[in-house]
Amino acid sequence: MRTVEEHLSRILDVAVRPAPVRVAIADAQGLRSAEEVVTGRPLPVFDQAAIDGYAVRSVDVAGATEASPVTIPVVGEIAAGSRQPLRLQPGQAVRVAAGAPLPTLADAVAPVAWTDSGAARLTVRRGVPSAGFVRRVGEDVQSGDVAVREGDIVGSAQVAMLAAAGRDKLLVHPRPRVSIVSAGDELVEVSRAASSGQVADVCSHALTAAAREAGAETNRARMVGGSAGEIRGAVEDLLPASEIIVVCGAGGGSAAAEARSALSDLGGIDDTRIAVHPGSAQGYGRLGPDAVPVFLFPPHPATALVLFEVFVRPLVRLALGQEARRRTRTARLTSPLVSPAGRRSYVPARLLRDDVGGELLAQPLGGSGTHLLAVLAEVNALAVVPEDVTELTVGEQIELVPRGRG
């Protein structure tokens, strides 16, 4: 039996990231930049008014006060977006809108609230310092500044910087394509009423949502029968369009053994049992000419979701250019736990904070019912019980892996 760490290392050691692609900056959000972008122009590109007001020479209104205002003529108006050059003479003012270019010689903007809003002659009641209420050329971004660094996660601020730099496309690490297949003769679509002996295909919907939550581009491919030929056909069809494939319903039993045999000439599936609870019976291989990672998971949705968190999500994160392993937390148990000897258990738990002392608490849910899907809907973490531990008591510290987004 292989340990969880040994199995995860086998998966991650040969992980291959999809080749970077160039996408529109609107589509780059949430992805990791595969290049460094340097701005080729300053921001702003010209001196501009920061607010609505009057462009003036600061020296002309330096002594203005409420008791002794300064009155000067208004010789024009400049709207935002104006491309008509205007030169200000000493002792004059020009009405300007926020974002409008300043006329030549103007070095400040008198806010409307500091004036009488005059149209022909302007009374200024407060002095304005040089550069007051003005956005200077390059004040925000200088030509040659780095807009986005290689490896940065592109967020709204990075999109803004790219747009300011004049870039409409960016080279990024794309989302890995994860395809999900449900296998089993007993399965029916969730929209159909299941008759005796039939089961709604919950697993493919659950795993597709988990892959999307992890940041992947998802493809709930199809539902197939449980025969080895049908499983092989589905996997073979998906290989050219996938970076990861997960088959739910082919993790253990005689049907799974037949499926592994049928997939053998595509690269082979390793069926060594993993020292994990739940889901020790599973399969993993790298199939096809591109050595696509293929996972064979048991048919229980709750178990498949736990295995996804432990083995597939790290691969998705690595493909996105992130650290494979998510940051864990340590919390104090609120109830006892038992675990099978020699296996690392992942127990659904709710991470809480003590209202009094602010201490982190771990509340396990579901007991030994690894099939209980409803439990997973109520938790935000998986409590990790090491292989050499079979019992934990109330108050002991336990490691928690977050569940869900992020």
Side-chain angles (χ1 to χ4, degrees):
M1 189 174 284
R2 185 179 300 139
T3 69
V4 170
E5 290 302 322
E6 289 170 345
H7 190 53
L8 189 55
S9 293
R10 288 169 67 93
I11 293 168
L12 298 180
D13 283 350
V14 289
V16 178
R17 293 180 183 174
V21 296
R22 196 167 298 280
V23 300
I25 58 174
D27 298 325
Q29 191 168 3
L31 299 178
R32 191 172 293 271
S33 176
E35 64 173 327
E36 181 174 274
V37 177
V38 176
T39 58
R41 61 192 185 193
L43 181 69
V45 296
F46 54 85
D47 291 344
Q48 60 182 240
I51 59 171
D52 292 339
Y54 294 84
V56 295
R57 296 195 319 153
S58 58
V59 67
D60 291 334
V61 296
T65 63
E66 291 284 348
S68 180
V70 171
T71 300
I72 53 179
V74 178
V75 296
E77 184 172 354
I78 305 176
S82 173
R83 302 175 69 179
Q84 181 177 353
L86 185 62
R87 184 180 180 85
L88 187 72
Q89 298 298 324
Q92 295 179 342
V94 171
R95 182 76 183 242
V96 290
L102 292 190
T104 305
L105 295 187
D107 68 336
V109 174
V112 172
W114 295 4
T115 73
D116 65 349
S117 303
R121 295 189 64 79
L122 178 71
T123 298
V124 181
R125 295 187 293 268
R126 288 179 62 178
V128 187
S130 181
F133 304 101
V134 173
R135 296 187 64 217
R136 292 293 191 188
V137 171
E139 181 179 300
D140 193 353
V141 178
Q142 293 282 347
S143 180
D145 283 353
V146 175
V148 174
R149 293 177 177 82
E150 183 177 356
D152 282 354
I153 297 292
V154 179
S156 55
Q158 285 73 30
V159 170
M161 285 290 290
L162 289 164
R167 289 287 296 269
D168 63 347
K169 295 185 184 298
L170 179 69
L171 193 68
V172 296
H173 295 289
R175 303 182 191 280
R177 298 168 297 176
V178 177
S179 297
I180 308 296
V181 178
S182 271
D185 295 326
E186 76 282 10
L187 298 177
V188 294
E189 291 288 355
V190 295
S191 58
R192 289 181 52 191
S195 60
S196 178
Q198 293 183 320
V199 177
D201 174 25
V202 175
C203 204
S204 71
H205 290 280
L207 289 176
T208 299
R212 187 180 299 116
E213 202 170 51
E217 179 184 324
T218 58
N219 173 28
R220 179 183 170 263
R222 54 178 157 168
M223 186 177 66
V224 300
S227 73
E230 288 178 278
I231 294 174
R232 179 204 160 95
V235 170
E236 194 168 18
D237 288 347
L238 291 168
L239 286 173
S242 307
E243 271 75 52
I244 300 170
I245 298 174
V246 182
V247 181
C248 186
S254 59
E258 292 176 9
R260 289 192 290 271
S261 176
L263 293 170
S264 61
D265 62 342
L266 295 177
I269 293 289
D270 182 352
D271 62 351
T272 303
R273 292 180 74 90
I274 310 303
V276 63
H277 179 75
S280 64
Q282 53 181 282
Y284 169 75
R286 299 181 65 84
L287 307 184
D290 296 323
V292 174
V294 177
F295 296 84
L296 305 184
F297 285 167
H300 304 298
T303 298
L305 283 173
V306 170
L307 295 178
F308 180 94
E309 291 291 337
V310 178
F311 298 117
V312 184
R313 184 187 284 269
L315 193 57
V316 173
R317 289 175 59 85
L318 203 61
L320 287 168
Q322 303 170 4
E323 290 291 330
R325 299 170 191 258
R326 304 171 83 186
R327 187 170 66 91
T328 61
R329 309 288 291 273
T330 301
R332 183 168 56 84
L333 275 173
T334 62
S335 58
L337 276 180
V338 295
S339 177
R343 297 191 190 184
R344 182 181 300 184
S345 287
Y346 290 86
V347 181
R350 185 182 288 129
L351 180 63
L352 307 169
R353 191 173 290 278
D354 186 351
D355 291 336
V356 179
E359 182 183 13
L360 287 177
L361 304 175
Q363 180 185 25
L365 297 178
S368 60
T370 59
H371 64 290
L372 298 177
L373 188 60
V375 170
L376 280 182
E378 298 296 324
V379 305
N380 57 8
L382 296 173
V384 185
V385 184
E387 291 86 344
D388 58 349
V389 175
T390 57
E391 293 185 33
L392 288 168
T393 59
V394 174
E396 289 194 71
Q397 295 289 318
I398 193 166
E399 182 184 22
L400 291 130
V401 177
R403 266 206 79 247
R405 187 174 301 278

